Amino acid sequence: MTRVTVFSAALCALLATSASAQSPAPPAFKVISPIFGQLVMFSLPASFATVFENTKGTNYVREAVLKGETVKSWTQMITVTGAKGAAGNAGVSPESFAGSMVGGFKSACPDSFAAQGFGATKFGDQDAYVAVASCGRLETGADKHSETTLIVTVKGSADYYTVQWAERAPATGRRAIDETKWLARLRQLQPIRVCPIVPGEPAPYPSCASRN
């Protein structure tokens, strides 16, 4: 059994345990967008609304926050990113891509940093990695808060994609990762899929929406 298979099986087991322990997920709708070379699909909880989208060179980002919040003042944010051409770098893996983001947290808050890797897995046919990173205390001007983020990295055919769910709360010291909570959040984002772009196919991209 390969390392990826072992991690994937372990993550599936954790998700199954989480699913049995949690009440049904709140309403959500599938979001499918062409991002560089492929379609990216995930489930966005109905309590969120998109507030920002931008493509700059080889980087794409789209952010959604809880309805009534803004991109400058939020308690929860779901972010989708794309890194064009990054999958062509043989030195980059879903785990290392996630690790670079986790490293950003560690640099920002070395005294209150915490992280947990949920391991390698697959979404559809695409290799992926799931982790959570946390800063117990961040200071941005007069604002002091904690920030914890679920990080899902997916390797596409040419590009790398991430789906992230971040949450801010009052500042504390180092925070333990609440595994059950973040696995439940991961379940809410599924199905996560990366699909081929079918020439001429309009939104809502039925070729991707119908994939299991």
Side-chain angles (χ1 to χ4, degrees):
M1 183 177 290
T2 67
R3 183 170 180 266
V4 170
T5 303
V6 170
F7 273 129
S8 182
L11 181 55
C12 288
L14 286 169
L15 285 169
T17 301
S18 175
S20 64
Q22 299 293 315
S23 56
F29 55 94
K30 287 181 181 178
V31 176
I32 307 175
S33 303
I35 302 176
F36 299 128
Q38 291 181 277
L39 297 170
V40 178
M41 176 178 74
F42 72 101
S43 293
L44 183 71
S47 53
F48 283 78
T50 298
V51 291
F52 179 79
E53 183 177 25
N54 185 53
T55 301
K56 186 174 182 180
T58 59
N59 295 302
Y60 169 90
V61 62
R62 185 173 75 247
E63 298 170 335
V65 299
L66 292 172
K67 292 177 179 178
E69 298 185 348
T70 70
V71 72
K72 292 184 177 180
S73 179
W74 54 271
T75 57
Q76 293 187 54
M77 176 181 285
I78 294 176
T79 303
V80 181
T81 72
K84 187 176 183 179
N89 186 336
V92 177
S93 68
E95 182 174 0
S96 68
F97 201 88
S100 66
M101 300 173 68
V102 172
F105 273 78
K106 188 174 183 178
S107 297
C109 60
D111 296 331
S112 62
F113 167 76
Q116 181 173 340
F118 289 143
T121 187
K122 283 182 176 289
F123 293 109
D125 296 329
Q126 310 303 133
D127 292 332
Y129 192 87
V130 180
V132 175
S134 177
C135 280
R137 182 182 179 88
L138 280 173
E139 297 188 24
T140 54
D143 180 37
K144 299 178 178 63
H145 60 268
S146 66
E147 188 167 324
T148 304
T149 302
L150 172 71
I151 301 166
V152 180
T153 59
V154 184
K155 182 180 180 180
S157 59
D159 315 311
Y160 262 92
Y161 305 100
T162 77
V163 182
Q164 305 164 49
W165 191 331
E167 182 176 76
R168 289 177 172 175
T172 64
R174 192 184 305 271
R175 301 171 67 94
I177 302 298
D178 185 340
E179 183 178 284
T180 300
K181 173 181 177 176
W182 292 103
L183 285 173
R185 294 271 175 90
L186 177 60
R187 284 173 40 236
Q188 289 179 58
L189 294 172
Q190 295 189 62
I192 298 171
R193 292 288 183 271
V194 176
C195 311
I197 293 176
V198 178
E201 182 183 54
Y205 309 108
S207 66
C208 192
S210 61
R211 288 197 173 198
N212 294 320

